């Protein structure tokens, strides 16, 4: 039996660990810039999220160590009879903690937050190059119902 993580809202001091988690796979390594001293754009983004009451970044901890993160955003909508939806982004679990139920606990936590808030649905996207992530989300009840499309601006 693996220990259950605790969840809390991330603080600015958590950013090096969060960005490290985001960079800890082949796709993230190509687009993130981890380190103890982070580029200013991460700080600006974190402050914008922290100042937005519809946005939160959470961290999962085991014994005071950050082992996972996700961003949860609430989106008002005219569709679905004006129902609010929740969007999950940036889900990551520390490499040495994968397969121990932390990701499932994080998603279960996020779904419950959306349910309590009265959201009509919860949605997420995952890159097609992450087949393990796709299987993971499907195991938790998410279904591929739409075709996601992105238009990247100002790619480095």
């Amino acid at each position: 039996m693996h220990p259950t993580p605790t969840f809390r809202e991330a603080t600015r001091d958590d950013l090096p660990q969060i960005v490290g988690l985001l960079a800890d796979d082949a796709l993230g390594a190509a687009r993130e810039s981890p380190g103890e001293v982070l580029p200013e754009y991460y700080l600006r983004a974190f402050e914008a999220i922290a100042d937005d009451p519809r946005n939160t970044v959470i961290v999962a901890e085991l014994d005071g160590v950050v082992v996972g993160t996700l961003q949860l955003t609430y989106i008002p909508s005219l569709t679905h009879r004006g129902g609010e939806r929740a969007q999950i982004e940036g889900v990551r679990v520390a490499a040495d903690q994968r397969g121990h139920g932390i990701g499932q606990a994080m998603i279960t936590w996020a779904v419950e937050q959306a349910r309590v808030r009265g959201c009509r649905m919860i949605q997420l996207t995952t890159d097609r190059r992450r087949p393990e992530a796709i299987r993971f989300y499907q195991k938790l009840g998410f279904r591929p119902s739409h075709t996601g499309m992105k238009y990247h601006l100002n790619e480095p």
Side-chain angles (χ1 to χ4, degrees):
M1 182 71 113
H2 297 288
T4 303
T6 57
F7 303 104
R8 65 172 173 79
E9 194 167 334
T11 68
R12 189 177 176 138
D13 290 340
D14 296 317
L15 274 177
Q17 292 91 351
I18 292 169
V19 175
L21 289 170
L22 295 174
D24 189 24
D25 69 12
L27 298 177
R31 64 181 176 218
E32 304 302 343
S33 301
E36 285 304 311
V37 178
L38 295 175
E40 185 65 30
Y41 47 80
Y42 288 117
L43 303 173
R44 283 193 306 268
F46 183 81
E47 292 301 325
I49 293 165
D51 289 345
D52 182 346
R54 294 186 177 277
N55 253 306
T56 189
V57 174
I58 67 106
V59 292
E61 289 184 322
L62 288 176
D63 298 322
V65 176
V66 173
V67 295
T69 189
L70 66 75
Q71 181 176 341
L72 185 58
T73 303
Y74 299 104
I75 307 166
S77 178
L78 292 175
T79 62
H80 295 272
R81 299 182 179 161
E84 191 171 57
R85 65 184 66 203
Q87 172 84 22
I88 299 174
E89 291 286 334
V91 178
R92 294 293 190 287
V93 173
D96 65 343
Q97 295 294 326
R98 293 179 190 148
H100 297 281
I102 292 169
Q104 181 173 342
M106 290 188 335
I107 298 301
T108 300
W109 178 90
V111 168
E112 185 57 24
Q113 299 303 302
R115 188 182 323 281
V116 167
R117 189 175 169 109
C119 291
R120 297 240 183 192
M121 76 174 67
I122 190 160
Q123 62 190 27
L124 55 81
T125 61
T126 190
D127 196 292
R128 288 181 295 198
R129 295 171 289 180
R130 289 188 166 121
E132 301 86 13
I134 293 168
R135 283 191 297 276
F136 167 75
Y137 293 124
Q138 287 177 330
K139 182 181 93 172
L140 296 178
F142 288 83
R143 297 292 170 250
S145 62
H146 292 69
T147 298
M149 301 171 81
K150 296 190 180 197
Y151 187 96
H152 290 274
L153 303 171
N154 303 322
E155 280 291 311

